[in-house]
């Protein structure tokens, strides 16, 4: 399917299943080399990373532990603005090697918040593995961004875990808005 409609919005094919899976295999090879002999804790950020996380960890042959966390946004006071709270961040990550798995880094705000909270718990190392990165949209530096599947233009994308208005996460392919 080259074009799909989600909630009255048109999308066209951008990254197909084969391209995504091929890239994930390469990311897996890289992680296997970089974490050989270690025992990283791989933390998927829900909901968007659920398919990427599943496919990525199947490529790993190192000893690794898996966890998931989720962000909850709510309006805070006028001075603090929007506050994001981490739900389910594993305890006792002190001294651990952490790999955070994200679907997309857009402005970098979300991942910066996650990193700040994780750093406070003094892990041995933290790196971010994001399937997608929009370099043109980036507003917050993310030095921990060690692994990126695809750098993409500043377009809205959907599929393979990413949603538009709650829909489209179940697609094997990634589409962009037309
Ligand atoms: P950031 O905080 O601006 O980096 O945005 C990160 C979050 O915004 C991601 O985890 C997604 O949930 C969402 N997001 C950003 N860009 C897109 C997109 O193109 N499609 C779907 N969700 C997106």
């Amino acid at each position: 399917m080259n074009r799909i409609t989600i909630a009255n919005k048109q999308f066209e094919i951008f990254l197909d299943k084969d391209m995504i899976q091929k890239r994930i295999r390469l990311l897996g090879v890289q992680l296997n080399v970089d974490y050989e002999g270690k025992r990283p804790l791989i933390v998927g950020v829900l909901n968007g990373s659920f398919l990427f996380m599943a496919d990525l960890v199947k490529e790993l042959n190192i000893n690794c532990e898996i966890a998931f966390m989720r962000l909850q946004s709510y309006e805070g006071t006028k001075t603090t603005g929007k506050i994001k709270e981490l739900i389910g961040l594993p305890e006792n990550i002190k001294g651990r090697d952490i790999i955070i798995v994200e679907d997309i880094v857009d402005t970098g705000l979300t991942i910066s918040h996650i990193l700040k909270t994780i750093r406070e718990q003094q892990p041995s190392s933290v790196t971010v593995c994001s399937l997608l990165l929009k370099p043109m949209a980036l507003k917050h530096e993310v030095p921990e961004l060690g692994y990126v599947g695809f750098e993409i233009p500043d377009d809205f994308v959907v599929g393979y875990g990413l949603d538009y208005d709650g829909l489209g996460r179940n697609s094997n392919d990634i589409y962009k808005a037309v």
Side-chain angles (χ1 to χ4, degrees), residues 11 45-49 71 84 102-114 130 132-134 137-140 142 152-159 161-165 169 175-177:
F11 293 87
V45 183
L46 293 172
N47 294 329
S49 74
L71 290 176
K84 284 181 174 164
E102 261 283 27
D103 53 351
I104 187 166
V105 174
D106 185 3
T107 64
L109 182 70
T110 306
I111 196 65
S112 297
H113 181 85
I114 293 170
S130 183
L132 304 174
L133 168 69
K134 294 181 183 171
L138 206 58
K139 290 198 179 94
H140 302 262
V142 189
I152 65 168
D154 192 5
D155 294 317
F156 190 83
V157 289
V158 72
L162 293 137
D163 77 303
Y164 172 61
D165 204 13
R169 293 192 197 274
Y175 294 80
K176 72 172 182 179

Side-chain angles (χ1 to χ4, degrees), residues 11 36 86 95 120:
F11 293 87
E36 195 187 350
L86 300 191
E120 282 164 6

Side-chain angles (χ1 to χ4, degrees), residues 4-160:
I4 56 166
T5 303
I6 300 175
N8 288 330
K9 197 170 173 61
Q10 291 259 323
F11 293 87
E12 66 182 15
I13 190 80
F14 181 53
L15 299 168
D16 71 20
K17 179 184 167 186
D18 290 346
M19 286 174 75
I20 296 168
Q21 295 302 326
K22 212 165 157 185
R23 186 68 188 107
I24 292 173
R25 281 196 288 277
L26 288 175
L27 288 171
V29 169
Q30 255 182 296
L31 288 167
N32 283 330
V33 170
D34 295 351
Y35 286 85
E36 195 187 350
K38 296 183 177 173
R39 182 182 163 159
L41 173 64
I42 308 182
V43 183
V45 183
L46 293 172
N47 294 329
S49 74
F50 78 109
L51 290 180
F52 177 41
M53 176 82 166
D55 287 338
L56 182 67
V57 298
K58 282 187 274 182
E59 298 299 329
L60 302 183
N61 52 33
I62 46 170
N63 286 321
C64 58
E65 289 174 57
I66 310 292
F68 287 94
M69 53 177 265
R70 194 170 179 182
L71 290 176
Q72 192 175 52
S73 305
Y74 58 94
E75 294 305 317
T77 65
K78 277 198 176 117
T79 47
T80 52
K82 206 173 188 185
I83 295 172
K84 284 181 174 164
E85 191 188 2
L86 300 191
I87 303 174
L89 176 68
E91 286 168 21
N92 300 326
I93 61 170
K94 190 170 178 178
R96 300 293 308 268
D97 293 305
I98 309 293
I99 303 171
I100 303 169
V101 175
E102 261 283 27
D103 53 351
I104 187 166
V105 174
D106 185 3
T107 64
L109 182 70
T110 306
I111 196 65
S112 297
H113 181 85
I114 293 170
L115 285 165
K116 184 171 170 281
T117 312
I118 286 184
R119 270 190 234 109
E120 282 164 6
Q121 298 194 38
Q122 300 174 303
S124 170
S125 71
V126 195
T127 192
V128 177
C129 177
S130 183
L131 179 65
L132 304 174
L133 168 69
K134 294 181 183 171
M136 301 297 285
L138 206 58
K139 290 198 179 94
H140 302 262
E141 269 194 42
V142 189
E144 292 89 346
L145 197 51
Y147 306 84
V148 171
F150 300 93
E151 292 195 358
I152 65 168
D154 192 5
D155 294 317
F156 190 83
V157 289
V158 72
Y160 195 67

